Amino acid sequence: MLAKLGEKGEEALMNLINRVWVTRTRPLSWNRAIIVPIPRPKVPVNPRLISLTSCLVKTAERMALKRIKWKASPLHQNMFACKNGVRTTECLTSLLDQINDKPGILIFLDLEKAFELAIAPVTLCCLGDREIDGHALAFANGSLLNLRVSQCSSYTVLPWG
């Protein structure tokens, strides 16, 4: 959809995103989302809610994420999630390499609702600890605080299927 904007449309889009970045204010319309329940395989009566926002918001968030990743220090070498091109098997391969045929104890944690229960101020504090500040921190703050279902200015729940 955004690919067909043309030169003037792209310029208007960039001006809007840059104005949001510079003023550190998020348009109220960006807080609107369509909430779609996705059934869980084991517990279909308790679906996972997915928030669908506009292409414009997704584009702005992707641009902000690139800026945040560029500024943040690299992730720890033993952290395997959130890394492009890293598959889940790589953490197991790394673990097997480290124990080198010696006996070991493994503990696997399944953090249920880890993202749903994340506390925005704590997340922002962690970003600050990674030296994310200024416009990037303000953008993350707006995204974290404004896109919660309970705080959406307008949302619609659509049935799945």
Side-chain angles (χ1 to χ4, degrees), residues 6-50:
E7 191 175 319
K8 289 196 182 242
E10 286 178 12
E11 186 178 335
L13 175 65
M14 287 306 301
N15 286 337
L16 174 61
I17 292 172
N18 284 330
R19 187 174 22 174
V20 168
W21 187 262
V22 170
T23 62
R24 300 180 187 191
T25 57
R26 187 180 167 93
L28 288 176
S29 62
W30 287 19
N31 299 339
R32 292 193 186 106
I34 295 173
I35 310 300
V36 179
I38 306 291
R40 297 174 194 253
K42 294 180 182 175
V43 192
V45 294
N46 186 15
R48 174 175 284 123
L49 298 178
I50 305 295

Side-chain angles (χ1 to χ4, degrees), residues 60-76:
E61 287 175 347
R62 253 193 207 131
M63 292 171 70
L65 181 60
K66 282 191 179 258
R67 291 177 183 182
I68 289 170
K69 282 183 172 180
W70 176 78
K71 187 163 183 183
S73 55
L75 296 174
H76 190 275

Side-chain angles (χ1 to χ4, degrees), residues 22-113:
V22 170
T23 62
R24 300 180 187 191
T25 57
R26 187 180 167 93
L28 288 176
S29 62
W30 287 19
N31 299 339
R32 292 193 186 106
I34 295 173
I35 310 300
V36 179
I38 306 291
R40 297 174 194 253
K42 294 180 182 175
V43 192
V45 294
N46 186 15
R48 174 175 284 123
L49 298 178
I50 305 295
S51 174
L52 303 175
T53 57
S54 72
C55 295
L56 174 91
V57 174
K58 295 276 188 219
T59 301
E61 287 175 347
R62 253 193 207 131
M63 292 171 70
L65 181 60
K66 282 191 179 258
R67 291 177 183 182
I68 289 170
K69 282 183 172 180
W70 176 78
K71 187 163 183 183
S73 55
L75 296 174
H76 190 275
Q77 66 180 7
N78 292 331
M79 184 172 175
F80 294 91
C82 304
K83 288 185 178 177
N84 289 337
V86 176
R87 299 186 314 186
T88 54
T89 55
E90 292 188 43
C91 68
L92 294 174
T93 305
S94 173
L95 177 66
L96 291 172
D97 285 345
Q98 289 180 22
I99 61 173
N100 200 16
D101 295 328
K102 296 175 189 154
I105 297 173
L106 296 177
I107 299 172
F108 293 96
L109 298 175
D110 181 10
L111 302 176
E112 188 174 334
K113 295 191 175 190

